[in-house]
Amino acid sequence: AAGPAAAAMGLPWAGWLLPVGLLLPVRLLLLLRAAGACPCREPRLCRPLTGPAGPEVFVFDVGKETWKNYDWSKITTVAAFGKYDPELMCFAHSKGSRVVLKGDVPLKEIVDPAKRAAWISQQVDLAKKQYMDGINIDIEQEVNETSPEYYALTELVKETTDAFHREIAGSQVTFDVAWSPACIDRRCYNYTGIADACDFLFVMSYDEQSQIWTDCIAKANAPYLQTLVGYEEYVAMGIDPKKLVMGVPWYGYDYVCQNLSTDHICSLPKVPFRGAPCSDAAGSQVPYATIMKQVNSSLSGMLWDEVQKAPFYEYK
């Protein structure tokens, strides 16, 4: 799950009460017929959400029923990365929260405009069938700035946004980017063009050690100052800060130290990744709940890294 450091803002149903005549009900009826029977107890919950754009609290839902424990007074959008759950969709809509698809496709397949259009059409049809409110495009593939994929990816985002906005009223199209635009993991995208083409960029301010170019030692998943540098770089490119949503991790990394010094420097084995000699692949992700259960019984208890502005602990 992830969410930004921004104020929560609900999406009221009031938009459906505007005196827009008969056009809106007819369009809604056609949409419901195309999608099939509404799975919600109240048919209104199958309508796509509309409302003013504002600060986002954006959550990735990875399945099961964790959504039943969310603080729905804050959430504005849920990206469904797990198996489609109509109960989640109905409940989210009852709370004024959007539910959006996960979108991913091999970039080599969307260089061809016809294949690109076919993929977009499939996503729009799926969103309608499942009464969803848009799509979160999560393409984390390598792209060279001089490659056909570089231009095709920007066109994909623009054409996807145009199609969703045209076909589903009030829909939202977002794109996931690395913590920095500096070709992280060889993802050299047209960040300004993509930001212009969609509703906002979701900045994945985590896994920031996917490429370690300095000393091969354990570091925080999302070091504070490094994280801020990433946002400064996006803004310096001319991207409106209002188009950036901060993604934060609800997990840490467990590293086995080859050597642990008295001043808490943990040396890691070298596991290369996309050109870098070391990476966080030397460790494994650990959920927040597991961390909090283990920290008090660890060798060190909670420690603080003043440089990275991050907590850590040591255990055996």
Side-chain angles (χ1 to χ4, degrees):
M9 181 172 182
L11 300 174
W13 284 101
W16 294 102
L17 303 178
L18 295 176
V20 293
L22 296 176
L23 179 61
L24 181 59
V26 170
R27 290 180 62 190
L28 286 174
L29 181 60
L30 292 174
L31 177 60
L32 293 175
R33 285 178 178 172
C38 173
C40 307
R41 291 183 179 180
E42 300 179 53
R44 71 178 181 88
L45 298 181
C46 284
R47 299 170 185 168
L49 293 188
T50 61
E56 280 281 339
V57 174
F58 194 99
V59 173
F60 289 109
D61 184 88
V62 294
K64 299 184 180 179
E65 295 188 344
T66 55
W67 60 267
K68 293 184 177 180
N69 298 311
Y70 294 166
D71 182 352
W72 288 95
S73 68
K74 295 180 172 63
I75 295 172
T76 58
T77 304
V78 176
F81 272 47
K83 183 179 179 181
Y84 174 66
D85 184 350
E87 186 182 1
L88 165 60
M89 181 276 295
C90 297
F91 189 84
H93 281 186
S94 75
K95 298 296 183 180
S97 300
R98 288 184 171 93
V99 180
V100 300
L101 292 170
K102 172 195 175 182
D104 189 12
V105 60
L107 291 180
K108 63 181 180 181
E109 294 184 10
I110 55 96
V111 173
D112 182 338
K115 291 182 178 179
R116 193 164 65 237
W119 182 85
I120 294 169
S121 178
Q122 290 173 356
Q123 305 314 303
V124 171
D125 289 345
L126 181 59
K128 287 182 177 180
K129 180 181 178 181
Q130 297 180 163
Y131 302 100
M132 299 175 86
D133 309 284
I135 188 169
N136 172 250
I137 303 175
D138 185 43
I139 293 177
E140 302 180 30
Q141 301 163 42
E142 295 184 31
V143 172
N144 188 296
E145 289 176 294
T146 60
S147 68
E149 289 81 4
Y150 176 87
Y151 301 99
L153 178 57
T154 308
E155 289 303 306
L156 174 74
V157 177
K158 183 180 186 304
E159 292 167 10
T160 300
T161 302
D162 290 344
F164 268 86
H165 286 182
R166 181 177 62 250
E167 297 292 329
I168 302 176
S171 59
Q172 178 195 87
V173 177
T174 59
F175 187 87
D176 298 340
V177 296
W179 64 270
S180 162
C183 290
I184 301 299
D185 300 341
R186 294 177 178 165
R187 284 177 269 170
C188 302
Y189 302 162
N190 176 12
Y191 290 103
T192 55
I194 291 172
D196 289 340
C198 65
D199 292 307
F200 63 79
L201 302 182
F202 181 92
V203 184
M204 297 183 287
S205 298
Y206 40 80
D207 296 349
E208 294 185 26
Q209 311 310 323
S210 61
Q211 291 178 296
I212 301 176
W213 299 97
T214 54
D215 294 336
C216 193
I217 59 175
K219 294 181 182 179
N221 186 7
Y224 181 72
L225 295 178
Q226 181 172 314
T227 297
L228 292 185
V229 167
Y231 289 94
E232 290 169 356
E233 290 171 343
Y234 279 112
V235 173
M237 298 177 79
I239 296 175
D240 186 344
K242 293 180 180 179
K243 277 214 164 185
L244 301 174
V245 169
M246 176 184 284
V248 297
W250 291 117
Y251 61 94
Y253 272 81
D254 184 328
Y255 293 107
V256 177
C257 304
Q258 289 190 321
N259 179 66
L260 181 62
S261 69
T262 56
D263 55 351
H264 309 291
I265 303 299
C266 171
S267 301
L268 301 179
K270 292 186 176 181
V271 182
F273 183 71
R274 290 182 177 173
C278 305
S279 69
D280 57 17
S284 57
Q285 294 181 2
V286 181
Y288 175 78
T290 302
I291 291 171
M292 297 312 293
K293 289 178 181 177
Q294 187 180 48
V295 62
N296 289 335
S297 61
S298 64
L299 292 176
S300 65
M302 188 178 292
L303 301 172
W304 182 257
D305 188 308
E306 186 58 37
V307 175
Q308 300 182 76
K309 307 293 185 186
F312 69 101
Y313 63 90
E314 298 163 353
Y315 76 100
K316 190 170 183 179

